[in-house]
Amino acid sequence: MGSLRFLRYNWSYVTPLELKHRSVGLGTGSTATGHAHFTLNGRKFRIFGGSIHYFRVPREYWRDRLLKLKACGFNTVSTYIPWNLHEQKRGKFDFSGNLDLEAFVRMAEVIGLWVILRPGPYICGEIDLGGLPSWLLQDSKSRMRTTDKGFVEAVDRYFDHLVPRMAPLQYHQGGPVIAFQVENEYGAYDKDKHYMPYILEALLKRGIVELLLTSDLLGHATKGYVKGALATVNIRKPSRKVSKELSQLQGNKPILVMELWIGWYDYWGAEKHFVRNTRDVEHTVAEFIKYNISFNAYMFHGGTNFGFMNGAIFKSDVYRSIVTSYDYDAVLTEAGDYTEKYFILRKILGSISGIPLPPLPDPTPKSVYADVSLSHYLPLWEVLQYLHEPIKLSIPVSMENLPINNGSGQSFGFILYETPICSGGRLHAHAADVAQVFVNDTIIGFLNENSRNVDIPTFTGCQLLRILVENQGRLVFTSRIQHEQKGLTDSVSLNKVTLKGYTIYSLDMKMDFFDRLRSATWRPITGSYEGPAFYRGTLRAGPSPKDTFVSLPDWNYGFVFINGRNLGRYWSIGPQRTLYLPGVWLRPEDNEIIVFEKMMNGLFIQFTDEPKL
């Protein structure tokens, strides 16, 4: 173990072509004046990193974004690894397509970038449940992010599959990966003193030999620190507290700011898109360089929360869903375009690189397509026959506990509960996150975390009660992460009498669902329809499709699907007003566009070549 620790603190700078002939990795050293620094093969080395999340960027654009990182003067790319996307179903792993981690790392290597991997298991990253898979919530007694038996057994199975994919990518194996992060920001959670040593050892015993890091908010590094790893911090601007906290913790080690927050994320209902002053970023980076501080720009390129991957936060004790765009006011925009920050950082980093920076890749062209009229629709109730077989249960269960997907439940999307009722009155239910309540197909009211009662008008005979619940994103940074079950999470009562006998439909809206939906008989639209429904039209992209942004100015709330791909959520409350549509996801000529609107439809959708965030 001692030799591994020693090797982990001995790097030196080489080009990717030399990797096959070298065997010593990243480490630390000090100058004659006693100042600590990183070394790579015995030579002084500074980490100039930028975060790009492969799972938030279309695979076809990985190369473009990495080339732009290199051309800006950065030498390292970092990325989180989202457990919840790689293992949506327990025991079934997906590292294909946009989740091909190894291909992303190898592409970075070819371009000439070093790589830092941040495998979690918890990553935060404003992604649903902080990157933990939702099926962990099935056991209400399990304590996530601790050494609780059920949790670490799940982590071990995941690492048994993940680490063999990462290990050959290490510097010592001839790859570009020079460091791994142990968990993420654990100092702010701090529920189990044995947890961080367990995760560190889990990586070591599976063959990870490179530098290990912890990453914490300033003021929490001591609680998140584990012996055998280098402590790093996450901050927005320079502070004397950084060197003081880290030196007290680990002596004279190099300082790495693992997350220099270039911008920030947005949530639905915010007054405006967050923007960080470019001059502040310029000053901060200049200070870091002056004092020999290595840093990782979070985010260099944010990308998009496609589909249902977004998480949620508490803002002033109110639940807030994070928007679809993960633009983050980053160095590159959501669509990979250059910003003022990019050119300022390129100038700073270019001035100290010692060699000319690579030429700038061409900007990605955009297009403004003709408005699309959505001429046909299907009410949700007519779509149920195209879903998988419903589940029949005596009592409602949460989304995670629905007995589907080989026992893994449902991770994302919507869930519909139906049960007969024979009278009106006071309905009581706990729905997370938000529910629409219907009698047959007539909307009666809404339920959410703070509103658990709906009054149902009197009627004759027996009718069908329907409760459509949406998961708007599980909390990402909270001590109550154990309690993020979605759907109906308790019994439902009418006039204080518990209702029983449910038909439950899973609406996760995956690609195969839209394949089946194409055989449906769609209704022509004659006006507005109130209630959840699917609307279909055709986007004619021409022979050479290009990137664009979708605008739905007179729609209320829902999701947009292009050729079955989920672009993400739109919501009239803003601040986000457009959805990014990558041109690489469009086919030449005709493209199917489907909008799932929860409330009431508009008549058409528009396209623009500029985002409105």
Side-chain angles (χ1 to χ4, degrees), residues 34 82-83 170 216 257 286 299 317 370 399 425 430:
W83 182 9
Q170 295 182 95
D216 281 289
V257 174
M299 299 289 298
D317 294 326
M399 186 178 282
H430 179 209

Side-chain angles (χ1 to χ4, degrees), residues 326-597:
Y326 201 65
D327 177 87
Y328 212 87
D329 193 39
V331 183
L332 291 182
T333 70
E334 177 184 12
D337 294 324
Y338 298 115
T339 67
E340 184 183 3
K341 289 176 185 174
Y342 185 95
F343 294 111
I344 285 176
L345 291 181
R346 176 176 160 88
K347 181 178 180 181
I348 294 174
L349 296 177
S351 68
I352 61 171
S353 70
I355 57 174
L357 295 181
L360 293 176
D362 292 335
T364 307
K366 307 292 187 298
S367 184
V368 179
Y369 297 108
D371 294 355
V372 172
S373 175
L374 301 184
S375 56
H376 291 79
Y377 80 109
L378 280 174
L380 174 61
W381 325 119
E382 296 180 17
V383 167
L384 301 183
Q385 61 184 306
Y386 299 98
L387 302 173
H388 291 301
E389 282 294 315
I391 303 298
K392 296 186 181 295
L393 296 173
S394 174
I395 59 173
V397 296
S398 71
M399 186 178 282
E400 298 79 9
N401 286 298
L402 196 62
I404 60 173
N405 294 324
N406 296 321
S408 297
Q410 180 182 339
S411 297
F412 308 116
F414 295 76
I415 184 169
L416 175 66
Y417 303 83
E418 294 184 343
T419 189
I421 56 174
C422 298
S423 70
R426 171 62 58 97
L427 180 77
H428 178 81
H430 179 209
D433 294 298
V434 63
Q436 293 166 280
V437 180
F438 303 84
V439 173
N440 299 325
D441 59 359
T442 301
I443 189 162
I444 302 300
F446 300 89
L447 298 166
N448 58 39
E449 184 72 28
N450 300 313
S451 179
R452 303 191 180 189
N453 298 301
V454 169
D455 290 323
I456 298 177
T458 58
F459 54 81
T460 59
C462 291
Q463 308 295 332
L464 190 61
L465 174 69
R466 287 166 158 161
I467 304 176
L468 178 65
V469 190
E470 180 191 0
N471 167 13
Q472 293 183 322
R474 297 179 181 88
L475 292 171
V476 302
F477 195 77
T478 175
S479 59
R480 53 160 288 179
I481 201 166
Q482 320 285 133
H483 309 293
E484 277 300 284
Q485 293 82 3
K486 302 299 182 182
L488 294 179
T489 59
D490 205 343
S491 61
V492 178
S493 64
L494 181 61
N495 299 323
K496 298 185 179 180
V497 176
T498 299
L499 298 177
K500 294 188 177 182
Y502 290 83
T503 300
I504 308 174
Y505 294 87
S506 169
L507 288 97
D508 53 8
M509 301 190 195
K510 294 181 180 177
M511 190 83 75
D512 62 336
F513 162 66
F514 291 98
D515 292 339
R516 296 191 298 274
L517 202 57
R518 292 187 184 102
S519 64
T521 302
W522 290 71
R523 296 187 188 188
I525 294 177
T526 57
S528 297
Y529 174 79
E530 185 175 359
F534 294 85
Y535 299 84
R536 188 176 70 175
T538 300
L539 166 61
R540 293 181 171 86
S544 301
K546 298 178 178 62
D547 284 9
T548 191
F549 300 90
V550 182
S551 175
L552 300 98
D554 57 348
W555 297 69
N556 292 280
Y557 182 109
F559 293 81
V560 177
F561 301 84
I562 298 288
N563 301 322
R565 290 182 182 266
N566 190 342
L567 298 187
R569 178 184 287 106
Y570 66 87
W571 196 350
S572 60
I573 66 172
Q576 183 176 352
R577 299 294 178 182
T578 57
L579 293 176
Y580 172 52
L581 171 50
V584 292
W585 287 358
L586 291 172
R587 302 166 184 155
E589 307 305 340
D590 291 356
N591 294 267
E592 177 190 66
I593 181 164
I594 291 178
V595 175
F596 176 65
E597 165 67 46

